[in-house]
Amino acid sequence: MTQQQYDFDLFTIGGGSGGVRASRFAAQYGARVALAEKQYLGGTCVNVGCIPKKLLSYSAHYHDDLRDAAGFGWDIGDTRFDWKKLIANKDEEITRLNGIYGDLLSSAGVTTFDGHATIEDAHTVRVNGQRITARYILIATGGRPTLPGVPGEEFGIVSDDFFHMKELPDHAVVAGGGYIAVELAAILNGLGTKVTLVHRGSQLLRGMDADLGKFLAEEMRKKGIDVRCGTKFRSIQLKDDGTRQVHFENGETLDVNTVVFATGRHANTENMGLEQVGVKLTPTGGVEVDADFRTSIPSIFAVGDVINRIALTPVALAEGMVVASALFDNGSRKISYENIPTAVFSHPNVATVGITEEAARAKYGQIKVFKSDFKALKHTISGSKERVLMKLIVDEASDRVLGVHMIGPDAGEIIQGFAIALQSGATKTHFDMTIGIHPTIAEEFVTMRTPILQTV
Ligand code: NDP
């Protein structure tokens, strides 16, 4: 078939961040594009991820703000929190965003199908009973929460359900020690739920610099969260009154209203015909792609959470643009997986760019570590015991800054700028030459002078 014999130049399966971005860009480059989405436009990020999470996190932060206000002379009086109102306002905003995603696609000239698409062969998809041919197919079906395989886990909920809970629970167990677990635990705690965070590992945020996980656990405990590391579930039982009785392997039990499983996510690869067509999967269950996001079938591509590389919205957006540019433009768009900044919207926030102390030591040998742990100016009179952690990892030989890590207010806002510095190859000397903005928390990153630890 020649190009014009296909119904479309690109057929995208999945209307989340990666799929929508690739489709819009492809259409803007002149391609004839269609996209199928079976649930909601915007995918995880817009509907049950980044956006509702951040809105709820803002709400939870008011807890600290209201409490801290007294030290600044404010007598706030009695306060009440209305979960239903928050969820209704959040839903209204999400509906608005769904509409914006639809408008973006239609104004770019992308044809959308509201339905589940399956791949029939290298150039054919079926959606709503209709066979559609395309020169290229893009799989951007994202991922979904993984349950841990504990007896009685059906009595728990996952992040998708969290954002639609009818009531705010009085007491919740949050299971897991990764991004979602610490973010949802912080939201619940801020909104007034008694929270027990149960993590099987010895420290939170595995994969990040070890100091971050340790420091965050302490900060979360200070805010009243019962953080239990090294604790495993045995089972969950549903009592007659709706209480969930959680049994742990150490013999302890807890009666709670809600159990939230935040025990990882996996790629959405089922019921799409991938096996029949011969699209290979990786050992961890993601769609296998090469450096150009091409699957084992040359006309089929995949981006975003479904490839199981780095499950972050901005990464999916970048991958989508790379594919669109490679297929329909001059291929000038590239993605670098080096120095991808990321933030965890726990309370306090965590943000990081570059590599951990451990990874730097293994790769570079001789490194310098600068670390600062302090109380921010605001909390000198707020009464809060919250502290800030900042850490720089520097290669001794080249003076290059290899990692910038932080726990503290608006850490993501601060680290975004440092990501540009690292991407530009900044050295510790550049940091030292930079004038601080006073009085800020961020200025500490340009005033750290004495390494705390030197390799031998
Ligand atoms: P993570 O991989 O971050 O964390 C999963 C957690 O679940 C880990 O602590 C893991 O423990 C634990 N776990 C896994 N299996 C089991 C089990 N069987 N029993 C008990 N505990 C278990 O996944 P998340 O689901 O939190 O987030 C997925 C991804 O989504 C993140 O990696 C991130 O890329 C993205 N994300 C980004 C956000 C942001 O940018 N702010 C927010 C939310 C998600 P262990 O450490 O021992 O393996």
Side-chain angles (χ1 to χ4, degrees):
M1 269 198 226
T2 64
Q3 185 178 335
Q4 284 307 319
Q5 286 171 305
Y6 296 113
D7 297 324
F8 292 97
D9 299 315
L10 176 70
F11 194 101
T12 301
I13 306 177
S17 306
V20 169
R21 182 60 68 90
S23 302
R24 280 177 52 213
F25 269 65
Q28 280 161 17
Y29 293 138
R32 298 167 306 133
V33 184
L35 178 148
E37 168 57 52
K38 66 175 178 182
Q39 204 173 5
Y40 29 49
L41 285 176
T44 301
C45 176
V46 166
N47 295 279
V48 286
C50 327
I51 301 299
K53 176 275 306 291
K54 189 87 188 273
L55 291 175
L56 266 57
S57 171
Y58 282 129
S59 176
H61 269 295
Y62 280 98
H63 175 265
D64 287 354
D65 294 343
L66 292 168
R67 186 206 50 207
D68 294 349
F72 293 91
W74 289 93
D75 181 0
I76 301 286
D78 285 345
T79 55
R80 275 183 304 108
F81 168 71
D82 186 342
W83 169 259
K84 286 191 167 67
K85 185 170 185 181
L86 171 63
I87 295 302
N89 288 345
K90 178 268 294 177
D91 286 344
E92 198 181 319
E93 172 57 10
I94 302 304
T95 304
R96 192 184 73 86
L97 292 175
N98 296 143
I100 287 178
Y101 267 70
D103 291 347
L104 285 172
L105 287 170
S106 56
S107 62
V110 176
T111 305
T112 49
F113 291 87
D114 188 4
H116 176 80
T118 51
I119 304 178
E120 293 201 339
D121 65 40
H123 294 282
T124 310
V125 296
R126 181 178 287 275
V127 58
N128 299 336
Q130 195 180 341
R131 286 181 85 245
I132 298 159
T133 58
R135 184 174 170 205
Y136 301 113
I137 295 168
L138 176 65
I139 303 167
T141 47
R144 65 180 188 281
T146 306
L147 285 166
V150 172
E153 66 188 13
E154 64 274 20
F155 303 126
I157 62 170
V158 293
S159 51
D160 291 3
D161 313 309
F162 180 89
F163 297 106
H164 300 105
M165 286 190 303
K166 295 270 175 282
E167 308 280 342
L168 185 68
D170 291 333
H171 187 180
V173 159
V174 179
Y179 277 77
I180 297 179
V182 299
E183 289 181 343
L184 299 190
I187 287 169
L188 287 170
N189 178 61
L191 299 181
T193 298
K194 182 177 173 194
V195 180
T196 309
L197 181 68
V198 177
H199 176 41
R200 67 179 179 184
S202 57
Q203 72 184 52
L204 305 178
L205 301 178
R206 185 168 58 81
M208 291 196 181
D209 193 281
D211 279 330
L212 296 178
K214 281 185 229 156
F215 195 88
L216 179 64
E218 279 320 301
E219 289 299 311
M220 291 179 86
R221 286 188 181 112
K222 278 192 222 165
K223 289 185 189 294
I225 299 177
D226 178 7
V227 180
R228 301 186 187 183
C229 290
T231 304
K232 293 186 178 152
F233 287 80
R234 176 172 289 157
S235 64
I236 299 165
Q237 284 170 356
L238 180 65
K239 292 167 80 173
D240 289 343
D241 65 354
T243 302
R244 274 73 177 150
Q245 185 163 69
V246 186
H247 296 256
F248 299 108
E249 282 194 352
N250 61 12
E252 287 180 24
T253 60
L254 261 185
D255 282 2
V256 297
N257 313 96
T258 304
V259 179
V260 185
F261 286 108
T263 44
R265 297 177 61 83
H266 60 279
N268 283 329
T269 56
E270 299 91 349
N271 307 320
M272 286 170 56
L274 298 188
E275 313 76 31
Q276 297 90 298
V277 183
V279 171
K280 282 192 195 149
L281 302 186
T282 65
T284 58
V287 172
E288 186 181 288
V289 290
D290 65 12
D292 299 321
F293 305 100
R294 199 182 288 268
T295 70
S296 47
I297 304 296
S299 58
I300 304 180
F301 292 74
V303 295
D305 289 8
V306 77
I307 66 171
N308 232 353
R309 270 187 193 167
I310 296 182
L312 297 173
T313 291
V315 173
L317 297 176
E319 291 170 349
M321 288 191 287
V322 169
V323 170
S325 150
L327 298 183
F328 304 111
D329 193 37
N330 58 12
S332 60
R333 285 197 178 257
K334 301 286 173 214
I335 177 169
S336 162
Y337 289 98
E338 296 263 299
N339 295 321
I340 291 177
T342 181
V344 185
F345 296 97
S346 49
H347 296 189
N349 292 176
V350 176
T352 173
V353 61
I355 60 177
T356 67
E357 177 180 341
E358 205 177 35
R361 209 175 285 290
K363 187 168 175 189
Y364 295 88
Q366 306 283 333
I367 59 165
K368 285 185 198 160
V369 177
F370 298 80
K371 196 152 78 172
S372 185
D373 162 357
F374 60 97
K375 184 186 262 196
L377 174 65
K378 180 180 177 187
H379 296 313
T380 56
I381 63 170
S382 72
S384 167
K385 293 189 166 43
E386 185 176 304
R387 294 183 71 80
V388 173
L389 176 72
M390 287 178 160
K391 191 168 171 183
L392 290 179
I393 316 291
V394 178
D395 174 28
E396 215 172 278
S398 66
D399 196 38
R400 283 261 314 262
V401 179
L402 304 171
V404 184
H405 310 287
M406 171 174 178
I407 297 188
D410 293 320
E413 306 288 350
I414 293 171
I415 292 295
Q416 181 69 80
F418 286 103
I420 302 172
L422 260 64
Q423 203 65 335
S424 313
T427 61
K428 182 64 170 65
T429 307
H430 288 125
F431 275 52
D432 294 342
M433 282 162 51
T434 303
I435 305 289
I437 300 174
H438 187 69
T440 62
I441 289 171
E443 69 178 315
E444 188 71 10
F445 273 131
V446 296
T447 53
M448 288 196 261
R449 293 284 181 263
T450 318
I452 54 129
L453 226 145
Q454 212 134 9
T455 49
V456 283

